[in-house]
Amino acid sequence: TKYSDMFHGSIIEGVTIFFLLILWCGGIGIITSTSRDLAVDCEGTIRDPNLYYFSWASFILCFVIFMTYLRSVHVFDPGEIGKTSILYHD
């Protein structure tokens, strides 16, 4: 618990999650590229469904974790986007 308290909500956690998100952005491009023939063949059909779908699932979950981190440190809340506008009236 000593280390989890030091890591949870810290800048180290945010940078780590952001780094993983950037890696998955590149990974999705490489894995789903038709020229690389990894998960999708040159005709555009899915050759390896596990690699294809779990890569997308990992990317989406990493994005969700990053948004949860931003919400936990009160930097950004997607639900508050429209409420900060000048045109928004209660």
Side-chain angles (χ1 to χ4, degrees), residues 23-82:
L23 284 178
W24 271 115
C25 285
I28 289 293
I30 291 170
I31 291 168
T32 60
S33 173
T34 57
S35 63
R36 302 226 188 246
D37 204 31
L38 288 173
V40 180
D41 63 12
C42 61
E43 297 170 355
T45 58
I46 298 174
R47 196 180 99 174
D48 189 353
N50 284 335
L51 180 61
Y52 183 82
Y53 291 115
F54 282 101
S55 296
W56 276 107
S58 298
F59 170 71
I60 291 168
L61 288 174
C62 193
F63 182 77
V64 168
I65 291 169
F66 185 65
M67 295 305 289
T68 304
Y69 167 77
L70 290 180
R71 188 175 290 158
S72 73
V73 296
H74 304 291
V75 173
F76 176 73
D77 187 0
E80 297 291 322
I81 290 176

